[in-house]
């Protein structure tokens, strides 16, 4: 199943300990959403940031991602500025995963994490 293996294909550097969810959300809004207009109840950037935050927390399956998000709904709403009362179910994440270019996603994430890493490093001593 293509949608269940996307979590294993997403590359997140091991050195990432903490990141700003809102800035990650802004970056992920640039990833092309390949779903048809009819299949877009939730914005792809939002779904991707939820998947990645859950993955950083150790979730390995789409069902675990959905459960993790549901349990942290209030916090995620405040951090991401999400005004809806509900978050998506597992099938919504699965459908998005089937319609995302993983290479493009990894490229966007690579740039984001490289910039984050550069900003966290102390300046070189003269």
């Amino acid at each position: 199943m293509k949608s269940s293996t996307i979590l294993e294909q997403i590359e997140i550097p091991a050195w990432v300990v903490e990141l700003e969810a809102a800035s990650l959300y802004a970056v992920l809004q640039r990833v092309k959403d390949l779903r048809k207009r009819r299949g877009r109840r939730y914005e792809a950037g939002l779904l991707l940031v939820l998947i990645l935050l859950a993955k950083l927390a150790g979730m390995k399956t789409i069902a675990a991602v959905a459960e993790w998000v549901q349990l942290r709904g209030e916090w995620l709403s405040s951090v991401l500025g999400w005004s809806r009362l509900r978050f998506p179910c597992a099938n919504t994440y699965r459908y998005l995963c089937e319609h995302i270019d993983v290479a493009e996603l990894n490229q966007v994430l690579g740039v984001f994490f490289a910039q984050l890493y550069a900003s966290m490093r102390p300046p070189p001593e003269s």
Side-chain angles (χ1 to χ4, degrees):
M1 285 182 69
K2 184 179 178 184
S3 63
S4 63
T5 60
I6 190 172
L7 293 179
E8 292 153 9
Q9 294 175 17
I10 296 171
E11 299 167 6
I12 297 177
W15 49 262
V16 175
V17 177
E18 195 174 306
L19 72 123
E20 294 183 35
S23 60
L24 178 59
Y25 179 27
V27 167
L28 289 174
Q29 289 175 322
R30 295 184 215 148
V31 176
K32 290 182 193 118
D33 187 349
L34 302 176
R35 297 174 293 171
K36 292 184 179 180
R37 188 173 195 81
R38 184 174 177 208
R40 296 184 190 188
R41 176 173 282 175
Y42 295 93
E43 176 190 1
L46 173 72
L47 297 174
L48 290 170
V49 77
L50 295 173
I51 290 170
L52 291 171
L53 290 173
K55 182 171 172 63
L56 286 169
M59 303 304 107
K60 296 187 186 285
T61 66
I62 297 287
V65 167
E67 183 178 357
W68 185 89
V69 169
Q70 295 299 332
L71 292 172
R72 287 150 188 87
E74 189 175 314
W75 173 75
L76 290 166
S77 292
S78 67
V79 168
L80 300 173
W82 181 248
S83 59
R84 290 191 190 177
L85 298 176
R86 294 177 52 141
F87 281 94
C89 68
N91 286 334
T92 303
Y93 297 107
R94 189 171 291 111
Y95 184 68
L96 176 73
C97 290
E98 293 170 353
H99 294 86
I100 283 293
D101 181 350
V102 178
E104 178 191 14
L105 176 61
N106 281 331
Q107 181 179 14
V108 169
L109 288 173
V111 169
F112 173 80
F113 287 122
Q115 291 172 344
L116 180 66
Y117 177 70
S119 71
M120 292 170 48
R121 288 186 7 199
E125 294 183 25
S126 302

